[in-house]
Structures are given as C-alpha cells and as structure tokens.
Amino acid sequence: MPEVNPQKPRCTADVIGSPIDVLDWDGALRQIHAWAIERESRYVCICNAHSVVTARQDANFGEIIRNADMATADGAPVAWLMRRLGHAGQQRINGPDLMWRYCEDAARRGESIFLYGASQATLDALVERLQTTFPGLGIAGAISPPYRALTPQEDAENVERINASGAGTVWVSLGCPKQEQWMAAHHGRIHAVMIGVGAAFDYHAGTLRRAPLWMQRNGLEWLYRLCSEPRRLWRRYLVTNTLFVMHAARQLACHHLNHRR
C-alpha cells in the first residue's frame, strides 16, 4: 500500500463543534499506516453522534476530540451532516470495519498490532480469530486491564510492554469516553498509533452480535444496538441522538443562511 505524504494538510469539517476529518477509507488506512511505520505517538477518535454531543457537554472530552490526530465519522448521522455541509460522498468510517480492514492490510505487510481492552476471554477469542483469518498478522501483545484505575506502576509497566512489543498500532477497546481519555493520557508516552474502536473487540471475537449489513448500510446500526441493550443504551441513543438532531438543524440553518449572503 503506498504511503501518504505526512505533510499533507489535514482537512476537517465542524460537526456541531467537533473537527471531524474529511477523508475516505483509503486515506484513513494510509495515514494510520504512515504513522505506524514511523512509530509516531498519535491517537485516532472514532466519532458518532454520542461522541460529538458529549464533546459539546463536557469541555475536557471536547478538548480530547479536538486534539486527536484523526477523528473519523463513525456514526451515519455524522457522515450525513458532513455531506449536507458540502463534503459530498463523505463515508462512514467506523471502528469495527477500520480495525478489520487495517488488520487485513497489515497481514499482507507482515505487520504487528497490539490489543488493549475488553475481558481476557474476549481477547483470547479475538486473538484466535485474527490469527486464523489473517495468518500473516502479528499479535505483538494483548492486555485486558482491570475494571479499576491502574496504579502508576501498573500503567508504567503496560506502557513499557507496549513500546517494547514493536507494534505500530494499538487498538483500544474500552468504550467511550474511557478509551479516548486513555489515549489522550498516553499521547507522547506510547510510541504507536492508538485507535479507539469501542465494541469492535466483542464484535470480532463473536461475544457480541453486530447489526445485519442492511441495517449498517442504512444507518440503523444504532437502532439494532438499542434493541439489543435497551437498559444500558436508551439514554445514549434516544437522548443524545435527539440533541444531535437539534444541534445539527441549527448548524445547517446557519450554514445555508451564510451561503445565501
């Protein structure tokens, strides 16, 4: 896969206050690979409606998104708003598919990755599936962190282990906003590209079923997840999606007004 020019200007769109990168699948994969081969400390946020609404409500989280080296349009509503703002053809670049496509490319290159997050059982199943599907892919290491704050010594040991592994990318599955906070806190300390992919580990390990393809393609994956876990996700999807629609409508109105002047 050809490398991108690391000096290529970054193009972003303002999505209700958060800068989201205007790029396609090839561009995203090439840029991550270009950073990975140089072992650059970078982090990538995969942003859906919940992410950008939370960024408006939480100043600290908003700062994390703004400081990300790449922020992709994960949710269909985010990609839709970007298209309405003039970025025609903007694709939805979601975490599970980004991880899968990158692993496929990395396997052809003989590249190694690192996995951070999820339960040990999920990690074991994920490693087995990745190695079976992509024999050329190296799994440089996998860490299932405890469901508590790590001590400074534990954290330092994990950082040392990741850096010593030689992996150019670290795929992080801790859920939002924990994974974004973790990546921002380790920016400059971990010498690899950190990509927060949410439930991707569970999907690829088979411990959580993903929405059918027709729902994914029609922007209804959120509805499938809501129906699967209504108690846990009702607020995230119903409340934050409603807020997203309100903010998006206001932004579009201002956008159209400015273009008429």
Side-chain angles (χ1 to χ4, degrees):
M1 178 184 291
E3 297 175 26
V4 295
N5 181 356
Q7 301 303 315
K8 183 178 179 180
R10 182 181 179 188
C11 178
T12 63
D14 182 313
V15 176
I16 68 167
S18 291
I20 306 299
D21 286 80
V22 178
L23 77 176
D24 57 17
W25 279 104
D26 287 342
L29 291 166
R30 283 198 300 266
Q31 183 62 82
I32 292 172
H33 174 55
W35 288 332
I37 59 176
E38 297 296 332
R39 297 295 302 279
E40 294 186 30
S41 185
R42 305 274 186 166
Y43 72 92
V44 178
C45 294
I46 313 295
C47 298
N48 56 20
H50 175 254
S51 301
V52 294
V53 169
T54 302
R56 284 185 67 94
Q57 299 172 329
D58 184 326
N60 290 332
F61 185 73
E63 190 70 12
I64 289 172
I65 299 298
R66 285 190 293 275
N67 287 336
D69 296 286
M70 180 189 293
T72 74
D74 173 14
V78 175
W80 170 83
L81 180 57
M82 292 172 70
R83 292 193 294 270
R84 293 297 299 269
L85 291 171
H87 304 287
Q90 176 60 50
Q91 299 171 311
R92 178 193 173 210
I93 300 178
N94 63 84
D97 290 338
L98 181 64
M99 177 179 174
W100 198 253
R101 292 189 187 201
Y102 191 89
C103 286
E104 184 177 13
D105 290 341
R108 287 196 291 266
R109 297 188 291 259
E111 187 179 328
S112 295
I113 67 167
F114 202 101
L115 305 170
Y116 187 91
S119 67
Q120 190 60 53
T122 295
L123 273 184
D124 291 343
L126 176 61
V127 168
E128 183 178 356
R129 187 176 181 210
L130 289 175
Q131 290 178 331
T132 300
T133 308
F134 307 119
L137 180 68
I139 309 295
I143 295 175
S144 173
Y147 292 97
R148 59 168 174 77
L150 272 64
T151 66
Q153 181 179 347
E154 289 173 328
D155 185 61
E157 289 172 354
N158 285 345
V159 170
E160 183 178 357
R161 181 177 166 188
I162 293 170
N163 287 338
S165 74
T169 57
V170 181
W171 300 85
V172 186
S173 184
L174 298 174
C176 178
K178 188 176 179 181
Q179 65 193 13
E180 288 78 14
Q181 293 166 344
W182 185 88
M183 293 189 299
H186 291 81
H187 192 213
R189 296 179 60 203
I190 287 178
H191 307 308
V193 187
M194 298 168 279
I195 308 102
V197 290
F201 285 18
D202 288 295
Y203 288 145
H204 297 321
T207 54
L208 190 64
R209 182 173 294 181
R210 197 174 176 191
L213 275 176
W214 71 268
M215 295 189 82
Q216 295 178 38
R217 290 168 179 164
N218 288 280
L220 295 173
E221 191 163 11
W222 68 272
L223 180 60
Y224 181 88
R225 290 199 67 191
L226 175 61
C227 293
S228 301
E229 301 179 85
R231 277 190 175 183
R232 189 174 75 84
L233 297 175
W234 74 268
R235 180 175 178 82
R236 170 181 293 191
Y237 288 117
L238 296 185
V239 176
T240 59
N241 278 16
T242 300
L243 289 172
F244 178 85
V245 170
M246 291 170 54
H247 293 309
R250 188 178 298 115
Q251 183 175 353
L252 282 173
C254 293
H255 175 76
H256 293 320
L257 183 61
N258 290 335
H259 276 71
R260 287 174 184 170
R261 292 174 178 173

